[in-house]
């Protein structure tokens, strides 16, 4: 039984290997989706880079419009070519190049571009190192767009760790541990005199890859925090306009119950349409910014969760500080957006009600006009009938008169005819013939509705 079982197992293995080879060769003939390669590579788009302690990282972020992003790609490619590297491809979103004092990493995102310098150990082991020197090197690259963030991360050992209370403001200092106590992170989220937001990482034995992942998440946390707050100035800009529209909507709604004339209702409808247009213009301008604010806030929360901060006694936590400082700003953005949505609904309902009121008024006005037109048509028909009767009488009179003259000349021709008798007998015949001719001729030149109305009236 064992021998049979083993033999069967061997045969099965041979068959499976054969099927795998056939499937492998057949898969080369598949027609791939046009985005397959992009989707597969997206999860590897921004890999973590190992960082050896001590290290200094300088990070810059710039808001870039599509045209600015294209120009920046060309400028960075030219810089890479100077250092003997080809630079990023036409669709690449990240690239690294080794320069004199470290490694420069370039990344393009949806609306911003970032440059990160990972400086060699000789330039990074001391607090207050040569930040200005690398800022000047950064100045060699044309500014991609409006400057958004400058971040300095210093990774040091416990022996070289700076006095946190000496370099950070006490009221804003946030300090927490991470990676099961193997790292201590501190910052005050304030821009120093040189323009950089300082973040200090004390390495207590983390592997280089774990340090690289931690530093990248810290850079993303600070960058996306700033991006999320870009919605606040937009909310402040729109707040007076939203308030004005709210007040005017209340006034217009009150007037809707007071005015009665069609002209006044049409004027109110025009004012409502203008308010709706103003509101939609502001909502369209802020749609992307408020949506981006929500997305960036979600990323910030995701980075806080991924880092896994653990509180340190007597120090604020990152989450508590950011929630306390950012939550009111984000609620302001959400409040303005919600007010815009509610106003749009109320304006739509008010416009619908007023439009119905205007339609009813116009229908009443149309009925009055139709009634007036009907009366005029009736008068015109009566006048036409009068003219028709007079025309028949006049024409018949002249025709009978002509007939009388013709019959009166008969005795001169030797024919004895009583002219008066002939004229009397001809009167009904002439009247009937003239009436038929006149009516046929007149009705041939008037609209069908008038003919029908006349027929019904008759």
């Amino acid at each position: 039984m064992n021998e049979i079982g083993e033999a069967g197992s061997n045969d099965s293995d041979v068959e499976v290997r054969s099927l795998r080879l056939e499937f492998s060769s057949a898969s080369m003939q598949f027609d791939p989706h046009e985005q397959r390669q992009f989707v597969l590579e997206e999860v590897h788009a921004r890999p973590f880079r190992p960082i050896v302690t001590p290290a200094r990282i300088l990070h810059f972020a710039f808001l870039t419009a599509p045209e600015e992003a294209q120009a920046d790609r060309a400028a960075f490619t030219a810089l890479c070519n100077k250092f003997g590297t080809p630079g990023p491809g036409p669709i690449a979103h990240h690239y690294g190049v080794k320069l004199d004092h470290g490694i420069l990493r370039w990344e393009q995102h949806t609306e911003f571009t970032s440059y990160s310098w990972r400086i060699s150990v000789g330039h990074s082991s001391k607090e207050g190192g040569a930040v200005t020197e690398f800022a000047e090197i950064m100045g060699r690259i044309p500014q991609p767009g409006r400057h958004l963030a400058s971040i300095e991360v210093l990774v040091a050992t416990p022996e070289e760790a700076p006095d946190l209370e000496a370099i950070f403001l006490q009221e804003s200092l946030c300090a927490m541990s991470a990676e099961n106590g193997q790292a201590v992170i501190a910052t005050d989220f304030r821009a120093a005199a040189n323009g950089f937001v300082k973040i200090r990482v004390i390495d207590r034995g983390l592997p280089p890859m774990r340090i690289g992942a931690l530093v990248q998440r810290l850079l993303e946390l600070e960058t996306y925090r700033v991006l999320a707050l870009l919605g606040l100035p937009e909310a402040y800009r729109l707040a007076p306009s939203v308030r004005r529209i709210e007040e005017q909507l209340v006034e217009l709604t009150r007037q809707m119950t007071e005015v009665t004339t069609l002209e006044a209702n049409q004027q109110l409808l025009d004012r409502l349409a203008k308010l709706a247009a103003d509101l939609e213009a502001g909502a369209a301008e802020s749609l992307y910014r408020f949506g981006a604010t929500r997305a960036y806030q979600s990323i910030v929360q995701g980075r806080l969760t991924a880092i896994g901060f653990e509180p340190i006694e007597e120090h604020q936590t990152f989450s508590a500080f950011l929630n306390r400082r950012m939550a009111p700003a984000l609620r302001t953005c959400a409040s303005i957006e919600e007010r815009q949505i509610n106003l749009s609904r109320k304006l739509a309902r008010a416009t619908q009600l007023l439009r119905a009121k205007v339609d009813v008024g116009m229908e009443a006005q149309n009925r009055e006009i139709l009634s007036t037109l009907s009366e005029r048509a009736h008068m015109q028909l009566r006048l036409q009938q009068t003219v028709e009767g007079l025309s028949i009488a006049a024409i018949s009179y002249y025709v009978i008169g002509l007939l009388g003259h013709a019959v009166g000349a008969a005795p001169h021709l030797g024919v004895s005819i009583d002219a008066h008798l002939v004229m009397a007998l001809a009167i009904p015949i002439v009247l009937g013939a003239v009436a038929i001719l006149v009516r046929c001729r007149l009705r041939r030149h008037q609209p069908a509705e008038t003919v029908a109305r006349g027929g019904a009236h008759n």
Side-chain angles (χ1 to χ4, degrees):
M1 289 293 294
N2 291 339
E3 292 179 358
I4 296 175
E6 291 176 1
S9 176
N10 292 336
D11 292 342
S12 176
D13 290 343
V14 171
E15 183 179 358
V16 168
R17 285 197 297 270
S18 176
L19 288 174
R20 287 175 179 172
L21 290 175
E22 291 177 3
F23 178 77
S24 177
S25 61
S27 65
M28 301 301 294
Q29 301 176 5
F30 291 161
D31 184 17
H33 189 278
E34 60 273 10
Q35 300 297 335
R36 179 176 183 270
Q37 193 64 26
F38 173 82
V39 172
L40 290 176
E41 293 180 356
E42 179 60 25
V43 295
H44 307 289
R46 295 175 178 87
F48 299 135
R49 304 294 181 184
I51 295 178
V52 178
T53 306
R56 184 185 300 274
I57 296 89
L58 303 181
H59 180 83
F60 304 87
F62 304 88
L63 284 177
T64 49
E67 299 80 8
E68 294 173 327
Q70 186 176 1
D72 174 67
R73 180 184 294 273
F76 180 72
T77 300
L79 177 69
C80 292
N81 293 337
K82 291 181 180 179
F83 286 87
T85 60
I91 62 173
H93 296 287
H94 65 94
Y95 193 80
V97 57
K98 184 173 178 57
L99 303 179
D100 294 338
H101 303 295
I103 297 175
L104 174 60
R105 183 172 178 79
W106 167 89
E107 292 187 17
Q108 272 195 348
H109 302 257
T110 303
E111 65 170 337
F112 73 96
T113 300
S114 65
Y115 286 82
S116 296
W117 294 84
R118 183 154 54 88
I119 303 169
S120 59
V121 175
H123 290 79
S124 61
S125 58
K126 298 293 183 180
E127 179 69 31
V131 174
T132 305
E133 174 186 351
F134 291 94
E136 292 175 354
I137 295 175
M138 188 68 198
R140 300 178 188 177
I141 304 172
Q143 183 171 330
R146 291 167 294 172
H147 179 231
L148 182 67
S150 293
I151 309 168
E152 177 196 13
V153 179
L154 177 63
V155 184
T157 61
E159 294 75 19
E160 295 180 340
D163 182 3
L164 300 181
E165 296 184 357
I167 62 175
F168 295 120
L169 292 177
Q170 185 65 28
E171 62 270 18
S172 301
L173 173 60
C174 298
M176 300 185 69
S177 65
E179 300 289 343
N180 297 321
Q182 291 184 292
V184 174
I185 306 164
T187 184
D188 59 1
F189 294 102
R190 290 180 177 271
N194 58 7
F196 285 84
V197 173
K198 298 179 180 180
I199 301 177
R200 298 297 178 256
V201 179
I202 301 174
D203 177 17
R204 294 177 173 175
L206 278 177
M209 186 60 71
R210 298 278 290 278
I211 297 176
L214 177 62
V215 168
Q216 183 166 327
R217 287 168 178 155
L218 289 171
L219 293 175
E220 292 173 350
L221 172 65
E222 174 60 16
T223 302
Y224 288 116
R225 176 187 73 88
V226 177
L227 282 164
L229 291 176
L230 285 179
L232 185 60
E234 186 71 8
Y236 285 156
R237 183 184 69 84
L238 289 172
S241 174
V242 173
R243 180 59 181 168
R244 174 182 59 82
I245 294 174
E246 287 173 338
E247 293 174 351
Q248 292 187 11
L249 178 58
V250 172
E251 177 64 20
L252 291 176
T253 305
R254 183 187 62 80
Q255 292 181 15
M256 285 173 56
T257 62
E258 298 176 355
V259 298
T260 57
T261 63
L262 180 60
E263 292 77 12
N265 284 327
Q266 288 177 333
Q267 291 177 1
L268 287 180
L269 188 59
D270 292 339
R271 292 173 63 185
L272 277 176
K274 186 178 183 304
L275 279 185
D278 292 343
L279 177 66
E280 292 303 324
E285 291 175 358
S286 61
L287 179 64
Y288 175 81
R289 188 73 274 151
F290 287 158
T293 292
R294 292 193 302 272
Y296 292 138
Q297 172 62 7
S298 177
I299 294 175
V300 169
Q301 295 298 330
R303 296 299 181 271
L304 288 172
T305 302
I307 293 173
F309 288 115
E310 301 165 0
I312 296 179
E313 188 177 356
E314 297 182 357
H315 288 290
Q316 297 183 80
T317 64
F318 280 48
S319 298
F321 179 86
L322 292 178
N323 288 334
R324 181 165 58 89
R325 301 297 178 91
M326 291 183 65
L330 297 174
R331 281 197 297 268
T332 300
C333 298
S335 173
I336 292 295
E337 188 175 21
E338 184 177 356
R339 287 167 65 185
Q340 286 178 328
I341 295 173
N342 290 335
L343 266 178
S344 179
R345 294 171 180 168
K346 292 177 181 178
L347 279 169
R349 287 197 296 267
T351 301
Q352 185 177 5
L353 290 174
L354 189 54
R355 192 179 298 279
K357 190 176 180 182
V358 169
D359 290 342
V360 171
M362 292 185 67
E363 288 177 0
Q365 190 179 63
N366 290 337
R367 283 196 300 270
E368 293 178 1
I369 294 174
L370 290 174
S371 177
T372 302
L373 291 175
S374 178
E375 292 178 0
R376 289 180 180 178
H378 181 66
M379 293 175 62
Q380 183 180 2
L381 179 61
R382 297 293 298 271
L383 179 60
Q384 178 182 332
Q385 290 174 345
T386 302
V387 172
E388 182 181 332
L390 292 174
S391 299
I392 293 171
I395 295 171
S396 298
Y397 175 79
Y398 285 110
V399 170
I400 293 172
L402 291 174
L403 180 61
H405 287 293
V407 174
H412 299 284
L413 299 175
V415 179
S416 179
I417 299 177
D418 188 352
H420 295 288
L421 180 60
V422 172
M423 292 174 65
L425 293 174
I427 288 174
I429 299 173
V430 171
L431 283 174
V434 170
I436 293 173
L437 290 173
V438 168
R439 288 197 174 190
C440 290
R441 185 172 183 83
L442 288 176
R443 296 191 180 188
R444 190 184 307 163
H445 295 86
Q446 67 184 23
E449 293 181 2
T450 307
V451 174
R453 192 181 296 114
H457 180 74
N458 291 334

